Amino acid sequence: MSNCAIVGINWGDEGKGRMVDLLTEDFDVVVRFQGGGNAGHTVINELGKFALHLLPSGIFRKGVVNILGNGVAVDPQSLWSEMQDVMDKGVSLTPENFKISERASLLLPWHRDLDELEEARLKDKKYGSTKQGIAPFYSDKYQKKTILAGELFYPEELKAHLADLMEWKNLTLTKVYGAKAYTMQDLEEWIEKTCATIKPYVTDTGAFLKKAQSEGKKILFEAQLGSLRDLDYGIYPYTTSSNTTAAYAPIGSGLPSAKIEDVIGVVKAYSTCVGEGPFVCEMFGDEAEQLRKEGFEYGAKTGRPRRVGPVDIVATRYGVEVQAATAIALTKLDVLSYMDKIPVCTNYTLNGETIDYFPFPSALKYAKPVIKYFDGWKCDISSARKWEDLPKEAQEYVSFIEKEIGCPIKYVSVGPERDSIIIR
Ligand code: GDP
């Protein structure tokens, strides 16, 4: 593998962080190419347990350079507190092993306010935002109304730019939402206290990546969330505000000339979904509660209980296609070990027909799952390290998913630890 993207196939939380942490052994550079601190990657390794939000999951490997690309929403405040957390646990973060693109836009203090204010205005029609300011940030980025990290090196121009943005944004804050206006003093403090902490890491990462590419270095592109949250291909408007697909990796990373040879799509052995929006295969009641408990399905960022369901073949097949995945990592198979019969959503019914394609977002609320049951294996599989170590029922379950989604399942994860993996 030379250029490889690790992406989510479903609604996010598939275990991408765990796969990046495992696979970084073979890579020189890890780049995050989209999204912000609004989701969490949980990584467990010999240094401890980490919930990463913005930092690339390669930061635990010595010799790996980690980059936040230009497509990422860089929130200086939350990034710095995350950096401090991992440094406190003994992880070294220096401008040599961690770099922020000078072309990454900065999430400004009012983006978080606007996210909260808008969700409060929407009341029961809310989108289920994590209120990290991501949607207001990306709207402003595309309106060209935010600032680039590299502007921190031009203090005079930066102040003038921020003054213009503040004048414009205060109109929305005060006149639309009746909220408090920002002052230049607030913003100067933000530059001096907050932005100053991350400034030493800001650099021309595009040039760094180009050089790395010309030297034949191996680059891993790390995504956040999953296909069904992609702004263009997901369950709009219950998507995120950026492209979570591998096709966006060259643009958002700062290496537009990159050809991504391998796309590893991460799929959980069952489904989970955080927040609002259609979730056709959703389970309810005791059955759902038990799966949530067994899989510890509570959001890494918000602690919110995740909605759960059986693996959804229709959504997963669509996700594989959108990502152009070349291989699949199936995670959390061990979680299903308690089940007598394992449900799988094989199709949907829509308007009286059985369908195998993923419908247009507005039609999803009328779709109903078709469930088929597989025999459970009812034993602990967490120490399996080879395909042959898995019970026949588990092999059948994995092989069925593989056949239905049309993509080889190369990795089967049977525990959160780095080595709890079967490589086929
Ligand atoms: P990400 O955002 O895609 O990285 O996913 P999250 O970190 O939000 O969720 C994945 C969770 O599952 C984390 O708590 C991982 O430690 C855990 N996990 C990953 N793979 C496995 C696995 O194979 N088995 C079990 N039991 N837990 C896993």
Side-chain angles (χ1 to χ4, degrees):
M1 284 195 266
S2 49
N3 282 340
C4 171
I6 297 197
V7 295
I9 294 293
N10 303 102
W11 296 265
D13 305 317
E14 298 93 345
K16 294 174 294 296
R18 178 248 187 288
M19 289 309 298
V20 177
D21 179 59
L22 173 78
L23 296 172
T24 41
E25 192 169 14
D26 300 326
F27 288 86
D28 305 296
V29 183
V30 178
V31 201
R32 270 279 306 264
F33 60 87
Q34 47 78 224
N38 53 330
H41 286 333
T42 311
V43 176
I44 300 174
N45 55 34
E46 71 279 2
L47 296 168
K49 181 173 178 180
F50 300 85
L52 300 180
H53 301 294
L54 208 47
L55 287 171
S57 311
I59 53 159
F60 305 107
R61 295 272 190 191
K62 290 214 164 51
V64 172
V65 177
N66 292 271
I67 293 179
L68 293 182
N70 50 280
V72 172
V74 174
D75 177 351
Q77 189 186 330
S78 57
L79 175 59
W80 180 242
S81 83
E82 190 180 329
M83 288 169 71
Q84 280 179 307
D85 277 355
V86 302
M87 287 193 280
D88 285 349
K89 290 188 183 160
V91 178
S92 156
L93 284 181
T94 66
E96 277 64 53
N97 76 347
F98 176 55
K99 299 175 192 292
I100 303 167
S101 167
E102 62 183 8
R103 283 185 170 269
S105 297
L106 295 186
L107 193 133
L108 301 173
W110 47 68
H111 288 137
R112 217 180 269 267
D113 302 344
L114 287 164
D115 214 347
E116 296 241 2
L117 289 164
E118 180 55 11
E119 284 283 286
R121 189 192 69 80
L122 285 166
K123 294 200 180 79
D124 56 343
K125 290 189 180 157
K126 67 185 190 301
Y127 291 138
S129 164
T130 53
K131 300 189 190 137
Q132 300 297 307
I134 303 299
F137 162 86
Y138 277 110
S139 334
D140 282 2
K141 173 174 170 171
Y142 285 94
Q143 285 199 74
K144 301 162 291 180
K145 299 249 191 222
T146 180
I147 62 168
L148 302 180
E151 290 182 60
L152 296 174
F153 296 107
Y154 301 85
E156 285 314 309
E157 289 86 346
L158 172 62
K159 268 183 210 157
H161 191 180
L162 272 174
D164 286 347
L165 295 179
M166 182 186 77
E167 189 186 322
W168 169 73
K169 195 52 90 180
N170 276 344
L171 291 174
T172 312
L173 283 166
T174 59
K175 296 201 188 317
V176 176
Y177 294 107
K180 196 170 140 278
Y182 274 83
T183 63
M184 260 330 271
Q185 196 190 338
D186 296 332
L187 296 179
E188 280 170 22
E189 245 180 65
W190 176 73
I191 298 171
E192 280 153 30
K193 293 207 179 120
T194 309
C195 297
T197 55
I198 63 155
K199 192 171 157 191
Y201 301 87
V202 176
T203 186
D204 182 354
T205 53
F208 175 87
L209 283 166
K210 226 161 74 184
K211 184 159 175 286
Q213 189 182 40
S214 71
E215 289 168 354
K217 296 260 165 67
K218 292 180 169 181
I219 305 172
L220 187 63
F221 299 84
E222 179 181 13
Q224 179 213 34
L225 296 166
S227 316
L228 303 170
R229 298 290 188 195
D230 181 271
L231 179 61
D232 288 274
Y233 295 97
I235 50 172
Y236 190 86
Y238 299 100
T239 58
T240 194
S241 301
S242 62
N243 291 105
T244 59
T245 36
Y248 186 72
I251 303 278
S253 63
L255 194 59
S257 58
K259 303 265 181 299
I260 315 275
E261 286 104 8
D262 297 292
V263 178
I264 299 181
V266 187
V267 175
K268 208 180 272 188
Y270 51 94
S271 299
T272 62
C273 165
V274 179
E276 314 297 320
F279 184 39
V280 177
C281 66
E282 185 162 11
M283 283 177 359
F284 300 94
D286 293 346
E287 198 188 8
E289 196 46 48
Q290 191 172 2
L291 179 53
R292 189 175 297 120
K293 251 184 24 220
E294 298 282 343
F296 199 70
E297 296 298 348
Y298 303 89
K301 182 77 197 179
T302 57
R304 286 188 288 188
R306 293 175 180 152
R307 298 157 75 191
V308 297
V311 74
D312 181 335
I313 297 291
V314 182
T316 305
R317 192 189 293 120
Y318 174 74
V320 166
E321 182 191 307
V322 163
Q323 295 286 13
T326 56
I328 295 295
L330 188 74
T331 61
K332 300 190 101 164
L333 188 66
D334 54 303
V335 170
L336 302 182
S337 301
Y338 75 92
M339 288 186 175
D340 293 320
K341 293 271 173 206
I342 303 182
V344 173
C345 170
T346 55
N347 294 85
Y348 295 167
T349 53
L350 183 65
N351 303 326
E353 264 182 71
T354 301
I355 58 166
D356 56 10
Y357 63 86
F358 193 68
F360 183 74
S362 316
L364 278 169
K365 74 171 180 190
Y366 303 109
K368 298 269 174 293
V370 175
I371 305 290
K372 176 175 170 171
Y373 288 88
F374 282 75
D375 288 338
W377 44 92
K378 299 283 286 178
C379 62
D380 182 7
I381 56 167
S382 58
S383 54
R385 295 292 176 267
K386 297 196 299 288
W387 177 247
E388 301 76 52
D389 296 342
L390 285 178
K392 174 175 85 25
E393 294 82 359
Q395 290 182 354
E396 277 170 10
Y397 180 72
V398 175
S399 301
F400 177 78
I401 298 172
E402 181 174 69
K403 181 167 98 5
E404 291 295 312
I405 63 176
C407 190
I409 296 180
K410 189 167 170 210
Y411 305 89
V412 179
S413 172
V414 290
E417 304 80 15
R418 204 178 254 176
D419 66 339
S420 302
I421 195 95
I422 296 168
I423 303 178
R424 296 169 75 201

mmCIF file with all atom_site columns, all heavy atoms in Angstrom, residues 1 5 23 57 72 135 195 226 271 273 275 280 305 310 315 346-347 357 362 403-404 421:
data_model
loop_
_atom_site.group_PDB
_atom_site.id
_atom_site.type_symbol
_atom_site.label_atom_id
_atom_site.label_alt_id
_atom_site.label_comp_id
_atom_site.label_asym_id
_atom_site.label_entity_id
_atom_site.label_seq_id
_atom_site.pdbx_PDB_ins_code
_atom_site.Cartn_x
_atom_site.Cartn_y
_atom_site.Cartn_z
_atom_site.occupancy
_atom_site.B_iso_or_equiv
_atom_site.pdbx_formal_charge
_atom_site.auth_seq_id
_atom_site.auth_comp_id
_atom_site.auth_asym_id
_atom_site.auth_atom_id
_atom_site.pdbx_PDB_model_num
ATOM 1   N N   . MET A 1 1   ? 0.848   -1.197  0.000  1.00 0.00 ? 1   MET A N   1
ATOM 2   C CA  . MET A 1 1   ? 0.000   0.000   0.000  1.00 0.00 ? 1   MET A CA  1
ATOM 3   C C   . MET A 1 1   ? 0.882   1.245   0.000  1.00 0.00 ? 1   MET A C   1
ATOM 4   O O   . MET A 1 1   ? 1.758   1.372   0.834  1.00 0.00 ? 1   MET A O   1
ATOM 5   C CB  . MET A 1 1   ? -0.857  0.022   1.267  1.00 0.00 ? 1   MET A CB  1
ATOM 6   C CG  . MET A 1 1   ? -2.013  -0.951  1.215  1.00 0.00 ? 1   MET A CG  1
ATOM 7   S SD  . MET A 1 1   ? -3.252  -0.625  2.483  1.00 0.00 ? 1   MET A SD  1
ATOM 8   C CE  . MET A 1 1   ? -2.705  -1.709  3.790  1.00 0.00 ? 1   MET A CE  1
ATOM 9   N N   . ALA A 1 5   ? -6.539  5.401   1.785  1.00 0.00 ? 5   ALA A N   1
ATOM 10  C CA  . ALA A 1 5   ? -7.494  6.166   2.588  1.00 0.00 ? 5   ALA A CA  1
ATOM 11  C C   . ALA A 1 5   ? -8.252  5.205   3.491  1.00 0.00 ? 5   ALA A C   1
ATOM 12  O O   . ALA A 1 5   ? -8.611  4.103   3.069  1.00 0.00 ? 5   ALA A O   1
ATOM 13  C CB  . ALA A 1 5   ? -8.475  6.908   1.686  1.00 0.00 ? 5   ALA A CB  1
ATOM 14  N N   . LEU A 1 23  ? -2.798  0.414   11.274 1.00 0.00 ? 23  LEU A N   1
ATOM 15  C CA  . LEU A 1 23  ? -2.129  0.387   9.971  1.00 0.00 ? 23  LEU A CA  1
ATOM 16  C C   . LEU A 1 23  ? -1.016  1.420   9.827  1.00 0.00 ? 23  LEU A C   1
ATOM 17  O O   . LEU A 1 23  ? -0.204  1.328   8.914  1.00 0.00 ? 23  LEU A O   1
ATOM 18  C CB  . LEU A 1 23  ? -3.165  0.560   8.849  1.00 0.00 ? 23  LEU A CB  1
ATOM 19  C CG  . LEU A 1 23  ? -4.181  -0.590  8.766  1.00 0.00 ? 23  LEU A CG  1
ATOM 20  C CD1 . LEU A 1 23  ? -5.285  -0.277  7.785  1.00 0.00 ? 23  LEU A CD1 1
ATOM 21  C CD2 . LEU A 1 23  ? -3.498  -1.903  8.385  1.00 0.00 ? 23  LEU A CD2 1
ATOM 22  N N   . SER A 1 57  ? -4.992  9.944   13.917 1.00 0.00 ? 57  SER A N   1
ATOM 23  C CA  . SER A 1 57  ? -4.779  8.785   14.794 1.00 0.00 ? 57  SER A CA  1
ATOM 24  C C   . SER A 1 57  ? -3.386  8.176   14.647 1.00 0.00 ? 57  SER A C   1
ATOM 25  O O   . SER A 1 57  ? -3.098  7.150   15.256 1.00 0.00 ? 57  SER A O   1
ATOM 26  C CB  . SER A 1 57  ? -5.832  7.709   14.523 1.00 0.00 ? 57  SER A CB  1
ATOM 27  O OG  . SER A 1 57  ? -7.109  8.268   14.512 1.00 0.00 ? 57  SER A OG  1
ATOM 28  N N   . VAL A 1 72  ? -9.788  20.515  6.731  1.00 0.00 ? 72  VAL A N   1
ATOM 29  C CA  . VAL A 1 72  ? -10.228 20.307  8.114  1.00 0.00 ? 72  VAL A CA  1
ATOM 30  C C   . VAL A 1 72  ? -10.675 21.631  8.738  1.00 0.00 ? 72  VAL A C   1
ATOM 31  O O   . VAL A 1 72  ? -10.156 22.693  8.411  1.00 0.00 ? 72  VAL A O   1
ATOM 32  C CB  . VAL A 1 72  ? -9.049  19.699  8.929  1.00 0.00 ? 72  VAL A CB  1
ATOM 33  C CG1 . VAL A 1 72  ? -9.352  19.644  10.415 1.00 0.00 ? 72  VAL A CG1 1
ATOM 34  C CG2 . VAL A 1 72  ? -8.708  18.316  8.400  1.00 0.00 ? 72  VAL A CG2 1
ATOM 35  N N   . ALA A 1 135 ? -21.101 23.265  11.154 1.00 0.00 ? 135 ALA A N   1
ATOM 36  C CA  . ALA A 1 135 ? -21.941 23.725  10.027 1.00 0.00 ? 135 ALA A CA  1
ATOM 37  C C   . ALA A 1 135 ? -21.746 25.241  9.787  1.00 0.00 ? 135 ALA A C   1
ATOM 38  O O   . ALA A 1 135 ? -21.493 25.650  8.643  1.00 0.00 ? 135 ALA A O   1
ATOM 39  C CB  . ALA A 1 135 ? -23.403 23.377  10.269 1.00 0.00 ? 135 ALA A CB  1
ATOM 40  N N   . CYS A 1 195 ? -4.882  31.200  19.705 1.00 0.00 ? 195 CYS A N   1
ATOM 41  C CA  . CYS A 1 195 ? -4.217  30.849  18.442 1.00 0.00 ? 195 CYS A CA  1
ATOM 42  C C   . CYS A 1 195 ? -2.704  30.713  18.624 1.00 0.00 ? 195 CYS A C   1
ATOM 43  O O   . CYS A 1 195 ? -2.068  29.900  17.940 1.00 0.00 ? 195 CYS A O   1
ATOM 44  C CB  . CYS A 1 195 ? -4.515  31.894  17.369 1.00 0.00 ? 195 CYS A CB  1
ATOM 45  S SG  . CYS A 1 195 ? -6.255  31.953  16.984 1.00 0.00 ? 195 CYS A SG  1
ATOM 46  N N   . GLY A 1 226 ? -18.798 8.927   8.065  1.00 0.00 ? 226 GLY A N   1
ATOM 47  C CA  . GLY A 1 226 ? -18.903 7.863   7.067  1.00 0.00 ? 226 GLY A CA  1
ATOM 48  C C   . GLY A 1 226 ? -19.686 8.293   5.846  1.00 0.00 ? 226 GLY A C   1
ATOM 49  O O   . GLY A 1 226 ? -20.222 9.407   5.795  1.00 0.00 ? 226 GLY A O   1
ATOM 50  N N   . SER A 1 271 ? -25.131 -1.990  13.114 1.00 0.00 ? 271 SER A N   1
ATOM 51  C CA  . SER A 1 271 ? -25.210 -0.572  12.729 1.00 0.00 ? 271 SER A CA  1
ATOM 52  C C   . SER A 1 271 ? -25.368 0.327   13.941 1.00 0.00 ? 271 SER A C   1
ATOM 53  O O   . SER A 1 271 ? -26.041 -0.044  14.920 1.00 0.00 ? 271 SER A O   1
ATOM 54  C CB  . SER A 1 271 ? -26.421 -0.346  11.828 1.00 0.00 ? 271 SER A CB  1
ATOM 55  O OG  . SER A 1 271 ? -26.306 -1.096  10.656 1.00 0.00 ? 271 SER A OG  1
ATOM 56  N N   . CYS A 1 273 ? -25.861 4.787   14.801 1.00 0.00 ? 273 CYS A N   1
ATOM 57  C CA  . CYS A 1 273 ? -26.094 6.092   14.199 1.00 0.00 ? 273 CYS A CA  1
ATOM 58  C C   . CYS A 1 273 ? -26.307 7.068   15.354 1.00 0.00 ? 273 CYS A C   1
ATOM 59  O O   . CYS A 1 273 ? -27.088 6.783   16.267 1.00 0.00 ? 273 CYS A O   1
ATOM 60  C CB  . CYS A 1 273 ? -27.348 5.961   13.332 1.00 0.00 ? 273 CYS A CB  1
ATOM 61  S SG  . CYS A 1 273 ? -28.111 7.463   12.789 1.00 0.00 ? 273 CYS A SG  1
ATOM 62  N N   . GLY A 1 275 ? -27.518 10.771  16.661 1.00 0.00 ? 275 GLY A N   1
ATOM 63  C CA  . GLY A 1 275 ? -28.250 11.984  16.298 1.00 0.00 ? 275 GLY A CA  1
ATOM 64  C C   . GLY A 1 275 ? -29.479 11.702  15.460 1.00 0.00 ? 275 GLY A C   1
ATOM 65  O O   . GLY A 1 275 ? -29.989 10.577  15.400 1.00 0.00 ? 275 GLY A O   1
ATOM 66  N N   . VAL A 1 280 ? -33.120 3.310   8.829  1.00 0.00 ? 280 VAL A N   1
ATOM 67  C CA  . VAL A 1 280 ? -34.133 2.313   8.463  1.00 0.00 ? 280 VAL A CA  1
ATOM 68  C C   . VAL A 1 280 ? -34.056 1.059   9.337  1.00 0.00 ? 280 VAL A C   1
ATOM 69  O O   . VAL A 1 280 ? -35.066 0.505   9.745  1.00 0.00 ? 280 VAL A O   1
ATOM 70  C CB  . VAL A 1 280 ? -34.003 1.949   6.959  1.00 0.00 ? 280 VAL A CB  1
ATOM 71  C CG1 . VAL A 1 280 ? -34.982 0.855   6.561  1.00 0.00 ? 280 VAL A CG1 1
ATOM 72  C CG2 . VAL A 1 280 ? -34.198 3.188   6.096  1.00 0.00 ? 280 VAL A CG2 1
ATOM 73  N N   . PRO A 1 305 ? -26.310 8.291   23.857 1.00 0.00 ? 305 PRO A N   1
ATOM 74  C CA  . PRO A 1 305 ? -26.504 6.887   23.463 1.00 0.00 ? 305 PRO A CA  1
ATOM 75  C C   . PRO A 1 305 ? -26.674 6.828   21.954 1.00 0.00 ? 305 PRO A C   1
ATOM 76  O O   . PRO A 1 305 ? -27.399 7.633   21.385 1.00 0.00 ? 305 PRO A O   1
ATOM 77  C CB  . PRO A 1 305 ? -27.808 6.480   24.159 1.00 0.00 ? 305 PRO A CB  1
ATOM 78  C CG  . PRO A 1 305 ? -28.197 7.591   25.052 1.00 0.00 ? 305 PRO A CG  1
ATOM 79  C CD  . PRO A 1 305 ? -27.396 8.803   24.701 1.00 0.00 ? 305 PRO A CD  1
ATOM 80  N N   . PRO A 1 310 ? -29.262 -3.887  13.283 1.00 0.00 ? 310 PRO A N   1
ATOM 81  C CA  . PRO A 1 310 ? -28.434 -4.941  12.674 1.00 0.00 ? 310 PRO A CA  1
ATOM 82  C C   . PRO A 1 310 ? -27.596 -4.362  11.540 1.00 0.00 ? 310 PRO A C   1
ATOM 83  O O   . PRO A 1 310 ? -27.861 -3.239  11.097 1.00 0.00 ? 310 PRO A O   1
ATOM 84  C CB  . PRO A 1 310 ? -29.470 -5.917  12.113 1.00 0.00 ? 310 PRO A CB  1
ATOM 85  C CG  . PRO A 1 310 ? -30.700 -5.101  11.920 1.00 0.00 ? 310 PRO A CG  1
ATOM 86  C CD  . PRO A 1 310 ? -30.686 -4.012  12.949 1.00 0.00 ? 310 PRO A CD  1
ATOM 87  N N   . ALA A 1 315 ? -27.579 -0.163  2.971  1.00 0.00 ? 315 ALA A N   1
ATOM 88  C CA  . ALA A 1 315 ? -26.812 1.060   3.226  1.00 0.00 ? 315 ALA A CA  1
ATOM 89  C C   . ALA A 1 315 ? -25.316 0.800   3.057  1.00 0.00 ? 315 ALA A C   1
ATOM 90  O O   . ALA A 1 315 ? -24.581 1.651   2.541  1.00 0.00 ? 315 ALA A O   1
ATOM 91  C CB  . ALA A 1 315 ? -27.101 1.565   4.639  1.00 0.00 ? 315 ALA A CB  1
ATOM 92  N N   . THR A 1 346 ? -31.309 -7.260  5.070  1.00 0.00 ? 346 THR A N   1
ATOM 93  C CA  . THR A 1 346 ? -30.835 -7.651  3.735  1.00 0.00 ? 346 THR A CA  1
ATOM 94  C C   . THR A 1 346 ? -31.388 -6.760  2.624  1.00 0.00 ? 346 THR A C   1
ATOM 95  O O   . THR A 1 346 ? -30.774 -6.599  1.581  1.00 0.00 ? 346 THR A O   1
ATOM 96  C CB  . THR A 1 346 ? -31.239 -9.097  3.405  1.00 0.00 ? 346 THR A CB  1
ATOM 97  O OG1 . THR A 1 346 ? -32.662 -9.181  3.572  1.00 0.00 ? 346 THR A OG1 1
ATOM 98  C CG2 . THR A 1 346 ? -30.543 -10.097 4.299  1.00 0.00 ? 346 THR A CG2 1
ATOM 99  N N   . ASN A 1 347 ? -32.588 -6.225  2.839  1.00 0.00 ? 347 ASN A N   1
ATOM 100 C CA  . ASN A 1 347 ? -33.255 -5.394  1.824  1.00 0.00 ? 347 ASN A CA  1
ATOM 101 C C   . ASN A 1 347 ? -34.127 -4.375  2.532  1.00 0.00 ? 347 ASN A C   1
ATOM 102 O O   . ASN A 1 347 ? -34.315 -4.450  3.746  1.00 0.00 ? 347 ASN A O   1
ATOM 103 C CB  . ASN A 1 347 ? -34.188 -6.259  0.948  1.00 0.00 ? 347 ASN A CB  1
ATOM 104 C CG  . ASN A 1 347 ? -33.433 -7.258  0.111  1.00 0.00 ? 347 ASN A CG  1
ATOM 105 O OD1 . ASN A 1 347 ? -33.116 -8.344  0.578  1.00 0.00 ? 347 ASN A OD1 1
ATOM 106 N ND2 . ASN A 1 347 ? -33.130 -6.892  -1.113 1.00 0.00 ? 347 ASN A ND2 1
ATOM 107 N N   . TYR A 1 357 ? -31.527 -1.155  -3.514 1.00 0.00 ? 357 TYR A N   1
ATOM 108 C CA  . TYR A 1 357 ? -30.758 0.088   -3.685 1.00 0.00 ? 357 TYR A CA  1
ATOM 109 C C   . TYR A 1 357 ? -31.080 1.037   -2.532 1.00 0.00 ? 357 TYR A C   1
ATOM 110 O O   . TYR A 1 357 ? -32.136 0.923   -1.902 1.00 0.00 ? 357 TYR A O   1
ATOM 111 C CB  . TYR A 1 357 ? -31.089 0.748   -5.035 1.00 0.00 ? 357 TYR A CB  1
ATOM 112 C CG  . TYR A 1 357 ? -32.532 1.181   -5.156 1.00 0.00 ? 357 TYR A CG  1
ATOM 113 C CD1 . TYR A 1 357 ? -32.958 2.435   -4.682 1.00 0.00 ? 357 TYR A CD1 1
ATOM 114 C CD2 . TYR A 1 357 ? -33.479 0.328   -5.713 1.00 0.00 ? 357 TYR A CD2 1
ATOM 115 C CE1 . TYR A 1 357 ? -34.297 2.811   -4.764 1.00 0.00 ? 357 TYR A CE1 1
ATOM 116 C CE2 . TYR A 1 357 ? -34.812 0.707   -5.801 1.00 0.00 ? 357 TYR A CE2 1
ATOM 117 C CZ  . TYR A 1 357 ? -35.212 1.947   -5.323 1.00 0.00 ? 357 TYR A CZ  1
ATOM 118 O OH  . TYR A 1 357 ? -36.531 2.320   -5.394 1.00 0.00 ? 357 TYR A OH  1
ATOM 119 N N   . SER A 1 362 ? -35.345 11.659  0.987  1.00 0.00 ? 362 SER A N   1
ATOM 120 C CA  . SER A 1 362 ? -36.739 11.921  1.396  1.00 0.00 ? 362 SER A CA  1
ATOM 121 C C   . SER A 1 362 ? -37.577 10.649  1.445  1.00 0.00 ? 362 SER A C   1
ATOM 122 O O   . SER A 1 362 ? -38.597 10.598  2.136  1.00 0.00 ? 362 SER A O   1
ATOM 123 C CB  . SER A 1 362 ? -37.414 12.889  0.427  1.00 0.00 ? 362 SER A CB  1
ATOM 124 O OG  . SER A 1 362 ? -36.563 13.945  0.120  1.00 0.00 ? 362 SER A OG  1
ATOM 125 N N   . LYS A 1 403 ? -20.168 -11.181 0.502  1.00 0.00 ? 403 LYS A N   1
ATOM 126 C CA  . LYS A 1 403 ? -20.789 -11.500 -0.799 1.00 0.00 ? 403 LYS A CA  1
ATOM 127 C C   . LYS A 1 403 ? -21.813 -10.421 -1.165 1.00 0.00 ? 403 LYS A C   1
ATOM 128 O O   . LYS A 1 403 ? -21.845 -9.937  -2.299 1.00 0.00 ? 403 LYS A O   1
ATOM 129 C CB  . LYS A 1 403 ? -21.456 -12.883 -0.699 1.00 0.00 ? 403 LYS A CB  1
ATOM 130 C CG  . LYS A 1 403 ? -22.103 -13.334 -1.990 1.00 0.00 ? 403 LYS A CG  1
ATOM 131 C CD  . LYS A 1 403 ? -22.459 -14.796 -1.930 1.00 0.00 ? 403 LYS A CD  1
ATOM 132 C CE  . LYS A 1 403 ? -23.844 -15.174 -1.606 1.00 0.00 ? 403 LYS A CE  1
ATOM 133 N NZ  . LYS A 1 403 ? -25.018 -14.601 -1.398 1.00 0.00 ? 403 LYS A NZ  1
ATOM 134 N N   . GLU A 1 404 ? -22.613 -10.021 -0.194 1.00 0.00 ? 404 GLU A N   1
ATOM 135 C CA  . GLU A 1 404 ? -23.698 -9.071  -0.479 1.00 0.00 ? 404 GLU A CA  1
ATOM 136 C C   . GLU A 1 404 ? -23.188 -7.673  -0.814 1.00 0.00 ? 404 GLU A C   1
ATOM 137 O O   . GLU A 1 404 ? -23.800 -6.949  -1.581 1.00 0.00 ? 404 GLU A O   1
ATOM 138 C CB  . GLU A 1 404 ? -24.650 -8.991  0.729  1.00 0.00 ? 404 GLU A CB  1
ATOM 139 C CG  . GLU A 1 404 ? -25.453 -10.249 0.940  1.00 0.00 ? 404 GLU A CG  1
ATOM 140 C CD  . GLU A 1 404 ? -26.413 -10.524 -0.210 1.00 0.00 ? 404 GLU A CD  1
ATOM 141 O OE1 . GLU A 1 404 ? -27.133 -9.595  -0.618 1.00 0.00 ? 404 GLU A OE1 1
ATOM 142 O OE2 . GLU A 1 404 ? -26.422 -11.652 -0.706 1.00 0.00 ? 404 GLU A OE2 1
ATOM 143 N N   . ILE A 1 421 ? -7.042  -8.540  15.967 1.00 0.00 ? 421 ILE A N   1
ATOM 144 C CA  . ILE A 1 421 ? -7.411  -8.423  14.555 1.00 0.00 ? 421 ILE A CA  1
ATOM 145 C C   . ILE A 1 421 ? -7.083  -9.709  13.801 1.00 0.00 ? 421 ILE A C   1
ATOM 146 O O   . ILE A 1 421 ? -6.084  -10.372 14.101 1.00 0.00 ? 421 ILE A O   1
ATOM 147 C CB  . ILE A 1 421 ? -6.663  -7.211  13.922 1.00 0.00 ? 421 ILE A CB  1
ATOM 148 C CG1 . ILE A 1 421 ? -7.278  -6.819  12.581 1.00 0.00 ? 421 ILE A CG1 1
ATOM 149 C CG2 . ILE A 1 421 ? -5.177  -7.433  13.777 1.00 0.00 ? 421 ILE A CG2 1
ATOM 150 C CD1 . ILE A 1 421 ? -8.278  -5.739  12.683 1.00 0.00 ? 421 ILE A CD1 1
#
